[in-house]
Amino acid sequence: MSATPERASQSPEITLVSPSPPHRTSGDGRQLPSIPNSMPYSAGSQTGSKGSNQGLNNRGSNGYGPFFQEYSLMAEYNLMQQQKIPGVYVMPCAKTPLVWSGLIFIRQGLYQGGALRFSLSIPDNYPDGDCPTLVFEFPVFHPLVHPVTGELDVKRAFPRWRRNVNHLWQVILYAKKVFYKMDTTSPSNPEAAVLYDQEPNMFKDRLAESLKSSNDRLYQPPDLDDPYALRFSPWNEAVHPDTKRQMMQSSQVNIIHGSFERKQSNDAGSANPSDLGLSWMEPGQTRIFVRDESGNI
Protein backbone atom coordinates (compact mmCIF):
# COMPACT_ATOMS: atom_id res chain seq x y z
CA MET A 1 0.00 0.00 0.00
CA SER A 2 1.49 3.36 -1.01
CA ALA A 3 1.80 6.16 1.52
CA THR A 4 -0.42 9.22 1.27
CA PRO A 5 1.21 12.63 0.66
CA GLU A 6 0.44 13.63 4.27
CA ARG A 7 2.25 10.62 5.71
CA ALA A 8 5.11 10.94 3.31
CA SER A 9 5.74 14.51 4.44
CA GLN A 10 6.20 13.31 8.04
CA SER A 11 9.05 10.93 7.21
CA PRO A 12 12.65 11.95 7.97
CA GLU A 13 14.35 14.11 5.41
CA ILE A 14 16.52 11.60 3.53
CA THR A 15 17.56 12.44 0.01
CA LEU A 16 17.96 9.45 -2.29
CA VAL A 17 19.75 10.22 -5.51
CA SER A 18 19.15 7.72 -8.31
CA PRO A 19 22.25 7.01 -10.35
CA SER A 20 22.24 8.78 -13.66
CA PRO A 21 22.82 6.74 -16.82
CA PRO A 22 26.38 6.57 -18.12
CA HIS A 23 27.40 9.53 -20.23
CA ARG A 24 27.81 8.65 -23.87
CA THR A 25 30.56 10.21 -25.88
CA SER A 26 30.05 11.67 -29.28
CA GLY A 27 31.65 8.62 -30.87
CA ASP A 28 30.45 5.02 -30.98
CA GLY A 29 32.09 4.11 -27.66
CA ARG A 30 30.46 4.36 -24.27
CA GLN A 31 31.89 5.67 -21.00
CA LEU A 32 31.68 3.39 -17.97
CA PRO A 33 29.95 4.68 -14.80
CA SER A 34 32.14 6.00 -12.01
CA ILE A 35 33.54 3.63 -9.39
CA PRO A 36 31.85 3.40 -5.95
CA ASN A 37 32.62 5.90 -3.22
CA SER A 38 36.20 5.30 -2.08
CA MET A 39 35.81 6.68 1.43
CA PRO A 40 36.23 4.10 4.24
CA TYR A 41 33.01 2.62 5.55
CA SER A 42 32.06 3.34 9.14
CA ALA A 43 28.96 2.46 11.12
CA GLY A 44 28.43 6.08 12.06
CA SER A 45 28.53 7.34 8.49
CA GLN A 46 24.81 6.68 8.09
CA THR A 47 23.96 9.20 10.83
CA GLY A 48 25.19 12.22 8.97
CA SER A 49 23.47 15.56 8.52
CA LYS A 50 20.00 15.83 7.00
CA GLY A 51 19.82 15.75 3.25
CA SER A 52 23.25 14.11 2.94
CA ASN A 53 23.38 10.90 0.97
CA GLN A 54 27.05 10.24 1.63
CA GLY A 55 26.41 7.62 4.31
CA LEU A 56 23.84 5.78 2.20
CA ASN A 57 26.05 5.59 -0.85
CA ASN A 58 29.30 4.81 0.98
CA ARG A 59 30.20 1.17 0.34
CA GLY A 60 33.78 1.03 1.52
CA SER A 61 37.14 1.44 -0.15
CA ASN A 62 36.78 -1.88 -1.96
CA GLY A 63 33.29 -1.20 -3.31
CA TYR A 64 31.87 -3.58 -0.70
CA GLY A 65 30.03 -2.66 2.46
CA PRO A 66 30.22 -5.06 5.42
CA PHE A 67 27.09 -6.89 4.31
CA PHE A 68 28.31 -7.28 0.75
CA GLN A 69 31.63 -8.55 2.06
CA GLU A 70 30.00 -11.09 4.35
CA TYR A 71 27.81 -12.30 1.50
CA SER A 72 30.91 -12.70 -0.67
CA LEU A 73 32.61 -14.76 2.04
CA MET A 74 29.53 -16.95 2.42
CA ALA A 75 29.60 -17.55 -1.33
CA GLU A 76 33.29 -18.46 -1.10
CA TYR A 77 32.59 -20.97 1.67
CA ASN A 78 29.80 -22.48 -0.41
CA LEU A 79 32.21 -22.84 -3.33
CA MET A 80 34.70 -24.61 -1.09
CA GLN A 81 32.04 -27.05 0.10
CA GLN A 82 31.20 -27.87 -3.50
CA GLN A 83 34.83 -28.82 -4.17
CA LYS A 84 34.72 -31.56 -1.48
CA ILE A 85 38.50 -31.58 -1.09
CA PRO A 86 39.37 -34.99 0.43
CA GLY A 87 40.81 -34.92 3.92
CA VAL A 88 40.14 -31.21 4.47
CA TYR A 89 37.79 -29.77 7.09
CA VAL A 90 37.21 -26.01 7.36
CA MET A 91 34.89 -23.88 9.48
CA PRO A 92 34.53 -20.06 9.58
CA CYS A 93 35.07 -18.59 13.03
CA ALA A 94 32.11 -17.55 15.15
CA LYS A 95 33.51 -14.10 15.93
CA THR A 96 34.49 -13.01 12.43
CA PRO A 97 34.04 -14.40 8.90
CA LEU A 98 37.53 -13.14 8.04
CA VAL A 99 39.18 -16.05 9.88
CA TRP A 100 38.63 -19.73 9.04
CA SER A 101 40.02 -22.64 11.03
CA GLY A 102 40.67 -26.02 9.49
CA LEU A 103 42.46 -29.33 9.45
CA ILE A 104 44.28 -31.21 6.69
CA PHE A 105 44.74 -35.00 6.80
CA ILE A 106 47.66 -36.24 4.69
CA ARG A 107 46.98 -39.81 3.55
CA GLN A 108 49.76 -40.49 1.07
CA GLY A 109 53.39 -39.65 0.41
CA LEU A 110 56.12 -38.51 2.77
CA TYR A 111 53.68 -36.74 5.08
CA GLN A 112 51.26 -39.67 5.29
CA GLY A 113 49.53 -39.84 8.66
CA GLY A 114 49.88 -36.14 9.36
CA ALA A 115 46.96 -34.14 10.76
CA LEU A 116 47.75 -30.44 10.40
CA ARG A 117 45.59 -27.80 12.02
CA PHE A 118 45.67 -24.37 10.36
CA SER A 119 43.99 -20.96 10.27
CA LEU A 120 43.19 -18.89 7.19
CA SER A 121 43.22 -15.10 7.71
CA ILE A 122 41.42 -13.03 5.08
CA PRO A 123 42.30 -9.32 4.55
CA ASP A 124 39.87 -6.72 5.86
CA ASN A 125 39.35 -5.26 2.39
CA TYR A 126 38.52 -8.59 0.77
CA PRO A 127 38.03 -9.29 -2.12
CA ASP A 128 40.22 -6.40 -3.32
CA GLY A 129 43.05 -6.89 -0.84
CA ASP A 130 46.19 -8.93 -0.72
CA CYS A 131 46.42 -12.71 -0.73
CA PRO A 132 44.99 -14.47 2.37
CA THR A 133 47.43 -15.83 4.95
CA LEU A 134 47.50 -19.51 5.91
CA VAL A 135 49.34 -20.47 9.11
CA PHE A 136 49.76 -23.97 10.52
CA GLU A 137 49.29 -24.16 14.26
CA PHE A 138 52.42 -26.30 14.53
CA PRO A 139 55.29 -25.41 12.14
CA VAL A 140 55.54 -28.71 10.27
CA PHE A 141 58.97 -29.45 8.77
CA HIS A 142 58.51 -28.39 5.15
CA PRO A 143 60.52 -26.19 2.75
CA LEU A 144 57.57 -23.81 2.19
CA VAL A 145 56.50 -23.52 5.85
CA HIS A 146 58.26 -20.99 8.07
CA PRO A 147 59.99 -22.92 10.90
CA VAL A 148 58.97 -20.39 13.58
CA THR A 149 55.65 -18.85 12.59
CA GLY A 150 54.24 -21.84 10.67
CA GLU A 151 53.11 -19.58 7.81
CA LEU A 152 52.81 -21.22 4.41
CA ASP A 153 54.28 -19.35 1.43
CA VAL A 154 50.93 -18.79 -0.30
CA LYS A 155 52.14 -15.90 -2.46
CA ARG A 156 54.24 -18.36 -4.41
CA ALA A 157 51.02 -19.57 -6.03
CA PHE A 158 49.09 -16.27 -5.75
CA PRO A 159 51.59 -13.42 -6.26
CA ARG A 160 48.70 -11.01 -6.88
CA TRP A 161 45.21 -11.73 -5.62
CA ARG A 162 42.75 -11.26 -8.48
CA ARG A 163 39.15 -10.59 -7.56
CA ASN A 164 36.61 -13.03 -9.06
CA VAL A 165 39.49 -15.10 -10.45
CA ASN A 166 41.20 -16.41 -7.31
CA HIS A 167 39.11 -18.10 -4.63
CA LEU A 168 39.71 -19.13 -1.03
CA TRP A 169 39.20 -22.83 -1.76
CA GLN A 170 42.16 -22.63 -4.16
CA VAL A 171 44.39 -21.44 -1.31
CA ILE A 172 43.31 -24.38 0.85
CA LEU A 173 43.79 -26.83 -2.03
CA TYR A 174 47.27 -25.42 -2.59
CA ALA A 175 48.03 -25.92 1.12
CA LYS A 176 47.24 -29.59 0.69
CA LYS A 177 49.11 -30.08 -2.58
CA VAL A 178 52.42 -28.76 -1.22
CA PHE A 179 52.71 -31.93 0.87
CA TYR A 180 52.48 -34.14 -2.20
CA LYS A 181 54.64 -32.20 -4.66
CA MET A 182 57.75 -30.70 -3.10
CA ASP A 183 59.24 -27.40 -4.25
CA THR A 184 62.56 -26.31 -2.75
CA THR A 185 63.16 -23.12 -4.73
CA SER A 186 63.29 -19.94 -2.59
CA PRO A 187 62.24 -21.85 0.54
CA SER A 188 60.77 -20.43 3.73
CA ASN A 189 62.66 -23.15 5.62
CA PRO A 190 66.14 -23.41 4.02
CA GLU A 191 67.19 -26.28 6.28
CA ALA A 192 64.26 -28.43 5.16
CA ALA A 193 65.00 -27.64 1.51
CA VAL A 194 68.70 -28.56 1.80
CA LEU A 195 67.98 -31.82 3.63
CA TYR A 196 65.30 -32.81 1.11
CA ASP A 197 67.67 -32.24 -1.82
CA GLN A 198 70.92 -33.56 -0.29
CA GLU A 199 70.12 -35.73 2.76
CA PRO A 200 66.78 -37.50 2.14
CA ASN A 201 67.17 -39.93 5.06
CA MET A 202 67.88 -37.13 7.52
CA PHE A 203 64.95 -35.20 6.07
CA LYS A 204 62.63 -38.16 6.73
CA ASP A 205 63.84 -38.39 10.33
CA ARG A 206 63.20 -34.69 10.97
CA LEU A 207 59.86 -34.98 9.23
CA ALA A 208 58.79 -37.93 11.38
CA GLU A 209 59.58 -35.98 14.54
CA SER A 210 57.65 -32.98 13.24
CA LEU A 211 54.55 -35.01 12.36
CA LYS A 212 54.58 -36.75 15.75
CA SER A 213 54.75 -33.42 17.56
CA SER A 214 51.96 -32.03 15.39
CA ASN A 215 49.69 -35.03 15.96
CA ASP A 216 50.36 -35.01 19.70
CA ARG A 217 49.10 -31.43 19.86
CA LEU A 218 45.71 -32.36 18.40
CA TYR A 219 44.30 -33.26 21.82
CA GLN A 220 45.33 -29.88 23.20
CA PRO A 221 42.96 -26.90 22.89
CA PRO A 222 43.51 -25.04 19.61
CA ASP A 223 45.46 -21.80 19.67
CA LEU A 224 42.52 -20.03 18.04
CA ASP A 225 40.06 -18.86 20.71
CA ASP A 226 36.89 -19.78 18.84
CA PRO A 227 34.03 -22.17 19.75
CA TYR A 228 33.88 -23.44 16.15
CA ALA A 229 37.55 -24.45 16.02
CA LEU A 230 38.05 -28.18 15.47
CA ARG A 231 38.81 -30.11 18.65
CA PHE A 232 39.87 -33.70 19.31
CA SER A 233 39.25 -35.97 22.26
CA PRO A 234 40.44 -39.51 23.09
CA TRP A 235 38.14 -42.44 22.40
CA ASN A 236 35.19 -42.47 24.78
CA GLU A 237 33.09 -45.65 24.96
CA ALA A 238 30.15 -43.66 26.28
CA VAL A 239 30.05 -41.31 23.26
CA HIS A 240 31.93 -42.41 20.17
CA PRO A 241 30.45 -45.88 19.42
CA ASP A 242 26.95 -44.44 19.10
CA THR A 243 28.25 -41.59 16.93
CA LYS A 244 30.02 -44.05 14.65
CA ARG A 245 26.89 -46.17 14.34
CA GLN A 246 24.80 -43.16 13.35
CA MET A 247 27.35 -42.18 10.74
CA MET A 248 27.44 -45.64 9.20
CA GLN A 249 23.66 -46.09 9.25
CA SER A 250 23.06 -42.85 7.38
CA SER A 251 24.32 -44.54 4.22
CA GLN A 252 25.70 -48.00 3.50
CA VAL A 253 28.61 -48.29 1.10
CA ASN A 254 29.70 -51.61 -0.39
CA ILE A 255 32.90 -52.14 -2.36
CA ILE A 256 32.22 -54.10 -5.55
CA HIS A 257 35.03 -54.76 -8.04
CA GLY A 258 36.99 -51.76 -6.83
CA SER A 259 34.08 -49.32 -7.15
CA PHE A 260 31.71 -47.92 -4.57
CA GLU A 261 27.99 -48.70 -4.56
CA ARG A 262 25.83 -46.68 -2.22
CA LYS A 263 22.68 -48.20 -0.74
CA GLN A 264 20.36 -45.62 0.68
CA SER A 265 18.77 -46.50 3.99
CA ASN A 266 15.04 -46.48 4.59
CA ASP A 267 15.28 -43.10 6.30
CA ALA A 268 14.29 -40.52 3.69
CA GLY A 269 16.32 -37.87 5.46
CA SER A 270 19.58 -39.83 5.41
CA ALA A 271 22.59 -38.77 3.39
CA ASN A 272 26.06 -39.94 2.55
CA PRO A 273 28.33 -39.32 5.59
CA SER A 274 30.89 -37.58 3.38
CA ASP A 275 28.18 -35.18 2.19
CA LEU A 276 27.52 -34.33 5.83
CA GLY A 277 31.20 -33.63 6.47
CA LEU A 278 31.62 -36.89 8.44
CA SER A 279 34.20 -39.62 7.97
CA TRP A 280 35.50 -42.61 9.85
CA MET A 281 38.90 -44.26 10.22
CA GLU A 282 40.02 -46.84 12.75
CA PRO A 283 42.50 -45.54 15.37
CA GLY A 284 46.03 -45.69 14.02
CA GLN A 285 44.89 -46.03 10.39
CA THR A 286 45.30 -43.44 7.65
CA ARG A 287 43.33 -45.13 4.89
CA ILE A 288 40.20 -43.33 3.71
CA PHE A 289 37.94 -46.35 4.33
CA VAL A 290 38.65 -49.05 6.91
CA ARG A 291 36.81 -52.40 7.11
CA ASP A 292 36.51 -54.63 10.13
CA GLU A 293 36.95 -58.43 10.11
CA SER A 294 33.37 -59.01 8.94
CA GLY A 295 34.01 -56.96 5.80
CA ASN A 296 31.88 -54.01 6.88
CA ILE A 297 33.17 -50.49 6.44
Side-chain angles (χ1 to χ4, degrees):
M1 179 180 296
S2 61
T4 63
E6 295 180 356
R7 293 181 179 178
S9 62
Q10 298 176 2
S11 60
E13 297 180 7
I14 298 179
T15 304
L16 297 179
V17 179
S18 301
S20 59
H23 173 70
R24 296 187 180 183
T25 60
S26 58
D28 295 335
R30 297 183 178 181
Q31 181 177 349
L32 293 175
S34 60
I35 61 174
N37 194 328
S38 61
M39 295 183 63
Y41 178 87
S42 62
S45 61
Q46 298 185 8
T47 60
S49 60
K50 294 182 179 181
S52 173
N53 64 335
Q54 177 179 346
L56 295 177
N57 290 339
N58 195 346
R59 293 168 57 186
S61 60
N62 57 2
Y64 278 66
F67 301 108
F68 289 96
Q69 184 185 69
E70 186 172 358
Y71 178 83
S72 177
L73 292 170
M74 291 172 59
E76 285 288 334
Y77 188 72
N78 185 51
L79 281 176
M80 192 206 65
Q81 288 182 308
Q82 295 176 7
Q83 303 304 316
K84 297 182 179 179
I85 306 175
V88 175
Y89 299 83
V90 183
M91 179 66 67
C93 293
K95 298 181 179 180
T96 171
L98 294 175
V99 179
W100 295 4
S101 63
L103 186 77
I104 298 178
F105 287 99
I106 310 298
R107 294 165 173 167
Q108 295 178 355
L110 289 173
Y111 291 82
Q112 180 177 0
L116 310 176
R117 193 152 46 191
F118 69 89
S119 62
L120 181 71
S121 299
I122 305 167
D124 294 339
N125 58 343
Y126 178 87
D128 293 331
D130 201 357
C131 182
T133 302
L134 192 144
V135 178
F136 291 101
E137 185 174 279
F138 181 83
V140 63
F141 193 68
H142 190 282
L144 301 185
V145 178
H146 194 279
V148 178
T149 64
E151 180 177 352
L152 175 66
D153 184 8
V154 176
K155 289 188 176 182
R156 176 184 299 261
F158 306 93
R160 183 176 66 88
W161 188 260
R162 295 180 294 172
R163 170 177 167 181
N164 297 330
V165 175
N166 300 131
H167 298 282
L168 299 179
W169 69 265
Q170 296 172 334
V171 177
I172 297 175
L173 180 61
Y174 171 73
K176 180 183 177 182
K177 285 185 175 181
V178 298
F179 296 103
Y180 295 92
K181 185 177 181 180
M182 303 291 286
D183 184 3
T184 58
T185 59
S186 302
S188 299
N189 187 339
E191 181 185 8
V194 171
L195 291 180
Y196 178 81
D197 291 333
Q198 303 178 7
E199 299 289 343
N201 292 331
M202 187 177 298
F203 175 83
K204 292 179 181 179
D205 292 339
R206 291 289 303 276
L207 172 59
E209 296 176 1
S210 176
L211 291 181
K212 184 179 183 304
S213 299
S214 177
N215 292 347
D216 291 343
R217 288 174 56 95
L218 289 178
Y219 294 106
Q220 301 178 10
D223 293 342
L224 193 63
D225 183 18
D226 186 83
Y228 290 169
L230 298 175
R231 288 170 170 79
F232 289 78
S233 61
W235 177 264
N236 187 341
E237 290 290 344
V239 176
H240 295 141
D242 184 61
T243 303
K244 176 187 175 182
R245 182 170 57 254
Q246 293 178 9
M247 291 167 56
M248 304 312 296
Q249 288 178 350
S250 63
S251 178
Q252 296 178 356
V253 182
N254 292 334
I255 300 180
I256 301 179
H257 303 299
S259 62
F260 292 99
E261 177 187 12
R262 189 193 320 175
K263 293 183 178 181
Q264 298 292 343
S265 64
N266 296 329
D267 185 6
S270 64
N272 187 6
S274 62
D275 294 337
L276 299 174
L278 305 175
S279 65
W280 175 260
M281 291 186 297
E282 292 289 348
Q285 300 291 335
T286 58
R287 290 171 296 181
I288 300 177
F289 294 98
V290 178
R291 289 182 294 177
D292 56 26
E293 296 179 355
S294 63
N296 298 323
I297 293 181

